[in-house]
Amino acid sequence: MQEPNGDTLKATCPLIYDDAVCCSSIIKEWTGITINDDEISYIAFHLGSTLETQKALASKLSAVIYCPTYYIMSNRLLQTISGRLDTELLIANVITEEADLDKITMPDLIISTVPINRALVTPFVQVQPFLMESDVTAIRQKIDEIRTSKKREKFTTYLRQIILPDFFERGEGFESREDAIHYLCEKFRQKDYVGEAFEEEVLEREEMSSTGFQNFAIPHSMRMRANKTGMYLYLCDSPTDWNDMPVSLIIMLCFNRDERYIFNEIFEPLTMILTEPNNLKKALSLNEYEEFIEFLSGCL
């Protein structure tokens, strides 16, 4: 069996890797055994399949089939779509009259065998009564568009919710990772986002495994017991030494336990965006809060 590569897992599956770090912390707390980066990678490797399966089930879209023809034809279409797209779609209803669209709870997607003679807010795709391969491709493309749109909308909403204009700063940078963490933790403390123990918790997370990714870092606590959920963006004019890694963008996160779902929605896409070198280069050139938010949203 090939050993899982820690740097690769960290870059491609940042949320799963972070979950593995949390598991390692719990193991250390219970047993006193310190888990190194290679062993954290193994934990992430085994967590991945379970978490991805759950994620796929949770990301199913609801759909309505509109097929104004014989019952047997609409039933066959339902069976075919369900069979081909079972992991992506949940068929909520099958209707045979256009007027019935006014009587149902609008789904994420409408699949119809005929043109629809009204303006629709809900995404729509027209297919053949006997589903062709091109129809399956068209439905999958529409599913991808809907998921991307939903993800972008949610991502942008959460960014604006947790990044205050005061939480965007460009400065000279810091001598060390510890100096950066102390400065940013103090910024959160001044706004009553975190307590005195937060800085120690962030340093504890760093000792488990560095939160540095190439030229940026996302320091945070594993405990999620902040008073409020927040994100502080600091752009360094001169790179900060982050555990022997030059870092020019530092993103400090703090999360309230009741809003841990935001961490799940924010952490991975943010990391994946900034792992792309051209995106990071563009991000480092920005000087205003609003343009930074718009840039991150547009990258999705």
Side-chain angles (χ1 to χ4, degrees), residues 36 86 93 106 112 141 148 229 288-289 299:
N36 63 33
D86 178 61
N93 214 329
M106 279 295 100
S112 177
Q141 288 176 344
T148 299
T229 296
E288 301 294 334
Y289 164 85
C299 286

Side-chain angles (χ1 to χ4, degrees), residues 92-105:
N93 214 329
V94 179
I95 61 175
T96 58
E97 298 288 340
E98 187 173 311
D100 290 339
L101 290 172
D102 299 326
K103 303 174 185 177
I104 62 174
T105 301

Side-chain angles (χ1 to χ4, degrees), residues 80-263:
T80 305
I81 292 176
S82 296
R84 295 293 303 276
L85 300 160
D86 178 61
T87 60
E88 296 153 287
L89 285 180
L90 175 64
I91 306 301
N93 214 329
V94 179
I95 61 175
T96 58
E97 298 288 340
E98 187 173 311
D100 290 339
L101 290 172
D102 299 326
K103 303 174 185 177
I104 62 174
T105 301
M106 279 295 100
D108 296 311
L109 174 64
I110 296 172
I111 301 171
S112 177
T113 58
V114 296
I116 295 179
N117 301 312
R118 64 178 67 194
L120 290 173
V121 175
T122 303
F124 156 79
V125 61
Q126 185 175 339
V127 300
Q128 301 298 319
F130 297 97
L131 205 67
M132 308 292 288
E133 194 61 39
S134 58
D135 295 322
V136 175
T137 299
I139 294 172
R140 286 204 167 108
Q141 288 176 344
K142 187 62 69 174
I143 288 171
D144 288 342
E145 291 173 13
I146 295 169
R147 283 178 173 163
T148 299
S149 177
K150 282 175 169 284
K151 185 182 294 186
R152 181 181 292 115
E153 181 178 355
K154 186 180 292 185
F155 184 66
T156 305
T157 298
Y158 288 154
L159 286 181
R160 294 189 182 281
Q161 177 180 331
I162 68 176
I163 308 175
L164 303 181
D166 288 347
F167 288 173
F168 179 88
E169 181 180 358
R170 178 179 285 279
E172 292 182 2
F174 305 93
E175 289 293 328
S176 68
R177 172 181 68 178
E178 289 71 23
D179 289 343
I181 288 172
H182 176 73
Y183 178 86
L184 296 175
C185 287
E186 186 60 31
K187 288 291 187 178
F188 276 152
R189 278 196 292 266
Q190 289 171 2
K191 292 286 187 179
D192 195 34
Y193 271 61
V194 302
E196 293 295 329
F198 181 71
E199 182 173 343
E200 183 179 344
E201 292 172 2
V202 173
L203 291 171
E204 179 186 347
R205 169 63 181 84
E206 289 294 330
E207 289 303 312
M208 292 294 301
S209 182
S210 174
T211 60
F213 294 83
Q214 297 176 9
N215 200 227
F216 68 98
I218 310 183
H220 58 280
S221 166
M222 294 179 287
R223 302 188 186 278
M224 292 195 179
R225 53 188 180 193
N227 300 326
K228 305 174 188 176
T229 296
M231 178 188 294
Y232 200 105
L233 303 171
Y234 188 98
L235 287 78
C236 307
D237 289 334
S238 298
T240 294
D241 181 3
W242 201 275
N243 197 31
D244 295 328
M245 180 185 297
V247 161
S248 296
L249 173 61
I250 305 169
I251 304 173
M252 174 74 80
L253 301 175
C254 68
F255 282 88
N256 181 279
R257 183 169 298 279
D258 292 338
E259 295 178 319
R260 57 186 178 274
Y261 60 89
I262 298 179
F263 180 83

